[in-house]
Amino acid sequence: MRVILDNLSKAFQNGDQAPVEALREIACTIEENEFLAVVGPSGCGKTTLLHIVAGLLCPDTGRVFFEGSVSNGRPQTAVVFQELALFPWRTVARNIEYGLEEMGLEKKVRKKRVKEYIDLVGLSGFERMYPHQLSGGMKQRTALARALSLDPLLLLMDEPLSALDAHTRMLMQLELSRIYEKTRPSVLYITHSIPEAVFLADRVLVLSPRPGRVKAVLTLDLPRPRTERIKVDPKFVSYLDTLWGILRQDGKGGTWGSI
Amino acid sequence: MGLHLETTKAGKPPENIVGKILPGGRPVRRLVRVGSLLLLAALWEALVRTEMVSAFFLPPPSRVLASGWAMAQNGELWRHLAASLGRIGLGFVFGALAGILAGILMGISPAAEDVFGPVIAATYPIPKIAIFPLLILWLGIGEWPKVTVIALGVFFPMVINVRAGIKDADPALIKAAVSMGSGRLAVIWKVLLPGALPMIFAGLKLAIGIALLLVVTAEMIAAESGIGFLILSSADLMQTARLLFGIALLSVLGLAFSGLLEALERLIVKWK
Ligand SMILES: Nc1ncnc2c1ncn2[C@@H]1O[C@H](COP(=O)(O)OP(=O)(O)OP(=O)(O)O)[C@@H](O)[C@H]1O
Ligand SMILES: [Mg+2]
């Protein structure tokens, strides 16, 4: 699916306080099968952008167009939210099952899919735990499995790996790129980690500090399938350098993670 | 003296504060609780037996139990109990269902909130028993005025709690559900309602006490059966043992109801 973000702006009205301008005139296209990463300083409107693309928030100006197969009026999207939004009253397995229920799949098919994705994110043995019994990283993996199991044409992810330790994070990055390379959805991936963006994406969109504007778009010419070896590729290193250079202009270089 | 570091010993969990104030483990504490009740009964029995208190005004526990036994034998107890339970059951179910429905409606629809909000705010403070005579005028002297007054008493805590529980729903969860294709009904049924369950149970526990209060009061005003009637008629005939048995019965009923609701809550609200 091709997603065209056409001139999106959004300001939040906060009662009698001055409105907060979150996004200004974002124009960008997520190409068919493209993995687009978005980086930018905290509060620059990344989550706002994702919510607009997911159809959960109306932009003040501009529109989002979806090109390609759209079933019953809704594009086939799945979202991993920054706050995860797991249902506290559902177990890990039942949380993952939610979207499948709403797709109208049969129980047997659902159970099989749930098991498949629980294994994939490494949560076997935790199927019957409730979210409050999970660690932060396990919650993230549940949310990830819930979105991936829908096998969407457009996958929207908001810092889905931020709560993981460096090692698990690397493993999940590898797993994510493996899944992406296998199923080839279009992806909008928000992250705070520049190396993660470069490792996963085909292109990186850099947003300026609030109000978020498109500051730069960097096309990455790195081979797929991505493996750990890519991290020592001179091109990989030079991309990191370029991106850090762009972000340093904001004087916010210090707030960036380096996993 | 050097630096002293306190560490938790392996294999021995740190005691909590409550455990420190009340010594002893769980079984011991349970024993103490039952014991204190038995002690009170024994004291009461002794006080009456030694004739420090008149057995007419305060019959000893043994006689209270004996009169209960007699009523159980001749079927009187079951008749009164069934009457009261039937009224509570019907009133509670109707009131709770109506309260839950209205609460959901007001929680999701500002229009419903505007229409029903002021009516509920205005009628909530009225002690429900004050409407009882009016209900008798409207519905006759049968069972319905009693059932209705109980239903009304149950309705209010339910509607207020459910509305609050629905409004308190996490917007992130609603977003997640919508992003996965949930429509309005699915959001209500799979997100709002489960999220409001703890509040619904809080309302039910509040309501059952109100129901008990109202059934007794209504039966004292107009009834030929029920625990309220038993208590009042025993007083008229100066049968203090029967009267006290009726009161004890209310205590048992109240405990049973809240125990039942708590068990149900543990069964349903497993994620807390
Ligand atoms: N519902 C809302 N109401 C009012 N203001 C909001 C709302 N949502 C976001 N904002 C404001 O919009 C700006 C952008 O928020 P957003 O959550 O999109 O940032 P972000 O880039 O995702 O930040 P982070 O990297 O910290 O997650 C912030 O200044 C925030 O205060
Ligand atoms: Mg964000």
Coordinates of all heavy atoms in Angstrom, one line a residue, chain A residues 47 82 158-159, ligand 2:
Chain A
T47 N 4.2 11.1 17.5 CA 3.0 10.3 17.9 C 1.7 10.9 17.2 O 0.9 10.2 16.7 CB 2.8 10.2 19.4 OG1 4.0 9.6 19.9 CG2 1.6 9.5 19.8
Q82 N 2.6 3.8 21.4 CA 3.7 4.2 22.4 C 3.3 3.7 23.8 O 4.1 3.2 24.5 CB 4.0 5.7 22.3 CG 5.2 6.1 23.1 CD 5.6 7.5 22.9 OE1 4.9 8.3 22.3 NE2 6.8 7.8 23.2
D158 N 5.1 2.9 17.1 CA 5.5 4.1 17.8 C 6.5 3.6 18.9 O 6.1 3.2 20.0 CB 4.3 4.8 18.4 CG 4.6 6.2 18.8 OD1 5.8 6.6 18.9 OD2 3.7 7.0 19.1
E159 N 7.8 3.7 18.6 CA 8.8 3.3 19.6 C 8.5 1.9 20.2 O 8.5 1.8 21.4 CB 9.0 4.4 20.7 CG 9.3 5.7 20.1 CD 9.6 6.7 21.2 OE1 10.1 6.3 22.2 OE2 9.4 7.9 20.9
Ligands
MG2 MG 5.5 9.9 21.0

